[in-house]
Amino acid sequence: MENDNTVLLNPPLFALDKDAPLHYAGEICGFRVHNGPSGSSSVQFEAVVLDRSTGEGLVRSKEPLDCESQREHSFTIQAYDCGEGPDGANSKKSHKATVHVRVNDVNEFSPVFVERRYEASVPEGRLFDHIVRVEALDADCSPQYSQICFYDIITPNVPFVIDNDGNIKNTEPLDSKRQRVHTFWVTAFDCGKNRAQADAQVVVTVKPSCKPGWIGWSKRVEYTPGSGSIPLFPSLHLETCEETVWNIQATVELQTGHIGKGCDRDSYSDRSVRRLCGAVRGEVDLLPPPSPAANWTSALPTLPSSDSSLVFSFNGSTHVAMVPDSIAAAVSGDHFTLQLWMRRGGINTQPPTNQARGNRREEETIVCSTVKNDDSFSHYSLSVHGCRLSLFYWPDVSAARPVKFLWKLEQVCDSEWHHLSLSVQFPSVTLYVDGVTFDPALIHDNGAIPNPAPRQRLVIGACWEKGGRGIYDYVGGYRGLLSGVTVRPGSVEPHSVVECLYACREGLDFGDLETLGSGMKVHVNPSQSVLVLEGDDIESFNRAVQQVTYRNSLRFATPGVRPLKLTTSLRCFNEESCLTLRQLEGYLVVLQPDAPQISLSGVGPHLARPAPEFEGPRGVPLFPELRIVCSLSHAVNTAAQAIWPSRITTTHTLMSDAVAHTLDGCEVQPLGEELNPEREELLVDMDALRERGLEIINTTAYIAITGAESISVYEDVLRSVRYRLAKGSARFERRFRLSCSEMNGRYTSNELTLEVNFLHSLDSLYHPSHLLASQQQFLHPSHHSGELSGHTLPNPHRNSVVPGAATVIIMVCVGFLVVMVILGVFRIRSIHRRGEGTGGGSKEDSGQWDDSALTIIVNPMESYESRMGISADTEGEGEEDEEVVESPDDANDDQRIIIKKEGRDGNPRRY
């Protein structure tokens, strides 16, 4: 036992001698204690003989033992007899026996707290599983007495409890207004029921209510197009409720995948965007809009696109485009640039049915081409496999081995739109993905790959291979969406041009990097859809968050909702109590932009010229004084003024400079029936179009001029549009309609209608062929397109016809002829009666029609605006009858035909 010197041996100490019962020789005279295996503890113990004849002994310590100093002791003991006589001569020794002594502990120490005072702070209104932990220690050596069995709060009536491990928690929500500080005492007991020598004090401070998280978050953010950059979080700041943090990271994510091809871009066609970005011309469109001249895309399904571009869908099996050899031959096989928009996945996709070539079994081929060079064939194919993009290139299919360029890209497998620009100048290959350069891994494919057939072919959406029986079949079908697939001989454009072609016009940005505090980091991804802030100081971090902005450089931004997310990660010195902030979600609303008003003026509504001018070699310009003006107007929202007086918008109209605006198409369309190529045509200066990079579609139904250019350029081009007629095919009128558009048809102008009048001479007006044509026009109105000048008749049919000026002239002539016949008959009958009354005058002389006084006077001074009229004045028998017929309207050559007859008094009458 501790603090005692008696050792209780088990079994007891005995030594036996075989010489017993001889005196001396058979008796045990003593015991000797030797060091143990560790070489210690022998000096603390001794052994004495209790009975020499029986050999009984006793082991004892020389001084009381302390368990806390050393709990176990080990030594050896040896017995010896009394020898041959009293002097102990020739005594014999026994073997050595090992003695193990374990000191039993005595509960002599009381628990002692590590700290005399414990403090903690907690926010009010919450129940906590752990507020603070107290700890006491006991100096006893044994587990029985050194362990703390339980703790106890000795202060009564406090809303706290403590468990056997010393953890303190509250039993009810704390209220800082009722009691700001709680002070109480706790004690500890060891398993021997010894109480702590001194109790410990616990102080819990109740903090006022505090919600950790972002303060000032606005779920809805509005953006007015044309505002440039606006801060997304102008009053946002982070509240940590006095929690000490050493690292803060916030990620702002703007979701624009549903806007066009991943974000808001110029709403022009891909060809127009290339011109605006200054890209090198000469690209060949491999997936053009379906047309009679480009029928290889007619079988591919198309999808609507918010940016007005044409998107083709491929299902991995049946959707394949075979480009004609005449198109494929325009591109060299070893020096070209391939550009495209792609998005993996899509609608109506299914696994490909045919697979071959083991190493390409799961690849999806985007473009596969075999090109004929001077005296050889080269082959390349662009494929995707999982998250890998590969270019399989064969410089010479008959000799060289293939080379594979491999890129591992997350953009390939994220089911989002991405722009790829691949420049091949073997053996150099350059790849831009979303405007960022990526280096390839070069793989020399030495596998047993059959040589491609030496035949020129270019396929989009699959590749072709020779299968069984020597039949070629499509394999490796692509499943996804493609748009703007072009190939151009030569190297890739400069990085600035590639960035312009891809660049998003909207995205996240940071206001002023110079104001960024020390220790702050800002990272923005290439598409500017994700912005990451990282820092260690809360104040600097709050100022940085308020500098995060949204920018959209488009004047006519695509309206709609862009989801917005803010994710925050905190690291604290105390990881157990570190705050966890939930993800915040909101949305950015791009408001409807002020629509530009494209106004066409300075033309018509009438254009009258003599018919021979239209029959000349150059025809007549239709829009010589055309003016195109684009303006923006801002309306006042009176309701908003009544509710939010601080938000007052001022009514104003901004007239924009014509050069500052860009049109992308104008159309001239004949109203009524289409143009007859044998009789009429519209002429355009093709050299001027090519010089400006514009394109034209010239059909009998319309002329469409397309391409992004300034207003002044379109004015010059449209002013040069001429209308020409074939000899002898002049009619009396023809109507045309002109309209223009901006942003790929997103905004359109007013429709300008022009009526063209052909002025005929008098001889040609009454020429039998013209009369016959006019009668046919009147009798068969459904085959002509003339409309009644000066009237608007509701008619749902485009080819419906209303009698024009020629018809009116014919009706007047017919009516005049009928009146003359009636008057002639009436006069003959009158003369006949007078002859019978006189009894015998010459009937023949009296019955003849006297037309010697009939004259035709042409008055060219009459106004063009006066309309045609018919006047008949019959004053009984013998009265004169006159007809006035006005020719078709002409601002330059007005003619009025006056038909008159002398009266009985011999004086002519004029009308």
Side-chain angles (χ1 to χ4, degrees), residues 63 144 158 252 302 402 458 461 535 645 702 778 793:
E63 57 185 18
Q144 180 181 2
V158 292
V252 183
T302 58
L458 177 57
Y702 64 91
F778 175 70
L793 301 179

Side-chain angles (χ1 to χ4, degrees), residues 841-848:
S842 178
K843 298 182 181 179
E844 295 180 1
D845 295 339
S846 302
Q848 291 182 357

Side-chain angles (χ1 to χ4, degrees), residues 224-472:
T224 302
S227 302
S229 296
I230 63 168
L232 291 176
F233 321 112
S235 59
L236 190 65
H237 66 278
L238 180 63
E239 177 60 59
T240 60
C241 296
E242 300 182 4
E243 182 70 32
T244 305
V245 297
W246 63 272
N247 181 268
I248 312 171
Q249 181 174 310
T251 302
V252 183
E253 181 181 358
L254 180 68
Q255 298 181 8
T256 58
H258 60 291
I259 305 296
K261 295 186 182 72
C263 63
D264 207 358
R265 294 184 174 89
D266 284 318
S267 298
Y268 298 108
S269 63
D270 290 338
R271 190 178 296 272
S272 297
V273 171
R274 290 185 60 83
R275 292 188 63 254
L276 294 175
C277 292
V280 181
R281 299 181 183 178
E283 73 278 357
V284 178
D285 195 352
L286 301 183
L287 289 180
S291 66
N295 57 1
W296 67 89
T297 60
S298 58
L300 297 177
T302 58
L303 300 178
S305 175
S306 58
D307 62 354
S308 303
S309 61
L310 198 59
V311 176
F312 294 91
S313 175
F314 294 82
N315 62 0
S317 57
T318 59
H319 297 163
V320 178
M322 173 69 75
V323 182
D325 293 344
S326 59
I327 304 297
V331 183
S332 170
D334 58 355
H335 192 191
F336 61 91
T337 298
L338 178 68
Q339 297 192 6
L340 57 93
W341 287 94
M342 66 168 292
R343 176 184 173 185
R344 294 285 298 280
I347 62 172
N348 299 330
T349 59
Q350 61 187 32
T353 57
N354 298 325
Q355 296 289 357
R357 198 186 295 179
N359 62 334
R360 303 178 62 193
R361 186 177 302 276
E362 299 179 2
E363 291 186 354
E364 301 176 20
T365 304
I366 302 174
V367 179
C368 186
S369 174
T370 299
V371 181
K372 186 180 187 308
N373 300 319
D374 295 336
D375 53 356
S376 63
F377 286 87
S378 61
H379 176 87
Y380 73 88
S381 63
L382 184 66
S383 306
V384 289
H385 179 199
C387 291
R388 290 175 172 83
L389 177 73
S390 62
L391 175 68
F392 186 81
Y393 188 77
W394 210 312
D396 188 349
V397 298
S398 62
R401 289 186 174 180
V403 178
K404 179 179 286 188
F405 299 88
L406 190 65
W407 296 268
K408 186 175 182 181
L409 304 169
E410 295 181 359
Q411 293 90 333
V412 177
C413 55
D414 61 359
S415 298
E416 299 291 343
W417 279 107
H418 295 284
H419 181 262
L420 274 64
S421 182
L422 183 69
S423 177
V424 177
Q425 190 173 3
F426 191 78
S428 175
V429 174
T430 304
L431 174 68
Y432 287 93
V433 179
D434 298 340
V436 180
T437 310
F438 291 89
D439 295 327
L442 188 61
I443 300 176
H444 292 277
D445 201 335
N446 297 322
I449 300 177
N451 292 16
R455 177 182 176 184
Q456 183 163 285
R457 278 191 177 182
L458 177 57
V459 178
I460 310 295
C463 201
W464 70 96
E465 290 182 357
K466 181 183 291 186
R469 302 177 182 177
I471 300 176
Y472 285 88

Side-chain angles (χ1 to χ4, degrees), residues 218-230:
S218 179
K219 189 173 183 179
R220 175 188 173 98
V221 180
E222 292 186 354
Y223 178 81
T224 302
S227 302
S229 296
I230 63 168

Side-chain angles (χ1 to χ4, degrees), residues 91-237:
S91 63
K92 303 293 185 182
K93 299 178 181 179
S94 67
H95 65 278
K96 294 180 180 180
T98 303
V99 179
H100 296 282
V101 178
R102 184 178 66 249
V103 182
N104 291 334
D105 187 25
V106 175
N107 192 9
E108 57 182 331
F109 294 100
S110 298
V112 177
F113 282 98
V114 176
E115 302 287 343
R116 296 296 304 274
R117 179 185 174 92
Y118 294 88
E119 296 181 358
S121 298
V122 293
E124 65 178 353
R126 292 172 54 189
L127 290 175
F128 297 90
D129 295 331
H130 172 78
I131 295 178
V132 65
R133 181 176 183 271
V134 299
E135 184 181 9
L137 301 177
D138 195 305
D140 289 316
C141 65
S142 64
Q144 180 181 2
Y145 299 126
S146 63
Q147 291 184 354
I148 306 300
C149 279
F150 63 94
Y151 296 88
D152 189 20
I153 298 177
I154 60 178
T155 302
N157 303 324
V158 292
F160 299 94
V161 294
I162 188 170
D163 60 14
N164 293 340
D165 295 327
N167 296 312
I168 298 176
K169 64 180 181 180
N170 57 328
T171 58
E172 63 184 40
L174 305 179
D175 189 354
S176 62
K177 297 180 181 179
R178 186 173 62 183
Q179 186 173 351
R180 181 68 184 272
V181 178
H182 294 266
T183 304
F184 52 92
W185 296 85
V186 296
T187 189
F189 293 88
D190 62 17
C191 294
K193 297 185 178 180
N194 273 0
R195 181 176 171 174
Q197 292 181 352
D199 300 328
Q201 185 184 39
V202 179
V203 179
V204 178
T205 303
V206 182
K207 296 185 295 185
S209 178
C210 175
K211 268 189 180 179
W214 291 102
I215 308 300
W217 170 262
S218 179
K219 189 173 183 179
R220 175 188 173 98
V221 180
E222 292 186 354
Y223 178 81
T224 302
S227 302
S229 296
I230 63 168
L232 291 176
F233 321 112
S235 59
L236 190 65
H237 66 278

